[in-house]
Amino acid sequence: MEKLIITAAICGAEVTKKHNPNVPYTVEEMVREALSAYNAGASIIHLHVRYDDGTPTQDKERFREVIEAIKAKCPDVIIQPSTGGAVGMTAEERLQPVYLKPEMASLDCGTMNFGGDEIFVNTENMIIEFATKMNELGVKPELEVFDKGMIDTAIRLHKKGYIKAPMHFNFVMGVNGGISAEMRDFVFLKESIPPGSTFTATGIGRYEFPVATMSILAGGHVRVGFEDNVYLEKGVLAKSNGELVEKVVRIARELGREIATPDEARKILGLEVKP
């Protein structure tokens, strides 16, 4: 099997210090959490940013500040900004970090009911707009899918030339309104992507490590982090993103998967390896 790429989603847009006091808001806290994840074995940092009071933002300059600070400590890590932002943000707001020309960025492939009155809107035209801009700027999209129909959307837009191969998917499982995190559903998603594609799997909340284990066994890759889950185990808050990554590394080693370095991850994902 390929070496395992571990992505750390270090803060997200919704989780707060009320959920776990170690959730990062400031630039210094973001660097601390990215470094903890990187040192533990993460080769990709999936990045949302906040203002110092915890307010989520897609401001390009805030992203620039955080990315530069992380790169100063982890020069070879892959930074993957979110274009999901937070519920209610406009497409123009959400696209801002792409203009910094990161190696990768997330691209959500469908609209989701997140519970209550929250609707995460991603129309087909928005997906095309985001994909077109990423192509123009040389940014590889990570295709975030919350259900099987979103894979179908990505494949259809690939056939129309908007999304380039090889495609890299992120199966986000266990979200309200999306696909559950059962093994049956994981296999369904895995078997639905085109040959030659790669995938990461993300389990939300208590599903984080069961989904990680499924993906490790199936030859896929793994995302963990405070964005998705703030607990190391039931009732025990994680002290850092690094602790969550360390747990995945332990599981992977027990199951015979080696951990990819950032440059090894670049080769697996078809990104340019920096000299």
Side-chain angles (χ1 to χ4, degrees), residues 98 101 103 106 111 113 157 174 185 189 198 212 214 231:
V98 172
K101 298 183 180 180
E103 294 177 84
S106 63
T111 294
N113 289 322
L157 295 181
D185 300 315
L189 296 180
T198 51
M214 290 181 220
Y231 291 95

Side-chain angles (χ1 to χ4, degrees), residues 6-11 22-48 66-80 225-226 240-243 245 262:
I6 302 175
T7 298
I10 61 174
C11 72
N22 300 304
V23 170
Y25 294 169
T26 67
V27 175
E28 293 75 17
E29 290 170 345
M30 293 281 186
V31 172
R32 179 198 73 209
E33 289 304 310
L35 183 60
S36 77
Y38 172 79
N39 285 340
S43 53
I44 300 175
I45 302 298
H46 175 72
L47 188 64
H48 290 253
V66 174
I67 290 170
E68 288 178 353
I70 291 173
K71 283 287 195 178
K73 294 291 186 179
C74 317
D76 62 336
V77 78
I78 300 166
I79 305 286
Q80 182 196 89
F226 283 158
S240 67
N241 280 274
E243 276 200 327
V245 174

Side-chain angles (χ1 to χ4, degrees), residues 22 42 46 54 82 106-107 121 140 158 166 169 175 179-180 224 228 250:
N22 300 304
H46 175 72
S82 169
S106 63
L107 174 58
V121 177
K140 183 179 179 73
H158 163 65
F169 292 85
V175 178
I179 200 165
S180 78
V224 293
D228 308 319
R250 289 197 299 272

Side-chain angles (χ1 to χ4, degrees), residues 191-207:
E191 296 302 314
S192 298
I193 63 176
S197 302
T198 51
F199 69 91
T200 288
T202 300
I204 302 301
R206 64 189 177 91
Y207 300 113

Side-chain angles (χ1 to χ4, degrees), residues 13 49 55-59 84-94 121 126:
V49 296
T55 303
T57 178
Q58 288 293 103
D59 179 70
V87 171
M89 289 182 176
T90 66
E92 291 76 17
E93 285 180 277
R94 288 168 50 187
V121 177
M126 285 173 64

Side-chain angles (χ1 to χ4, degrees), residues 255-268:
L255 297 174
R257 288 284 298 276
E258 293 184 55
I259 309 304
T261 66
D263 278 348
E264 288 169 336
R266 287 182 174 94
K267 290 178 182 177
I268 292 167

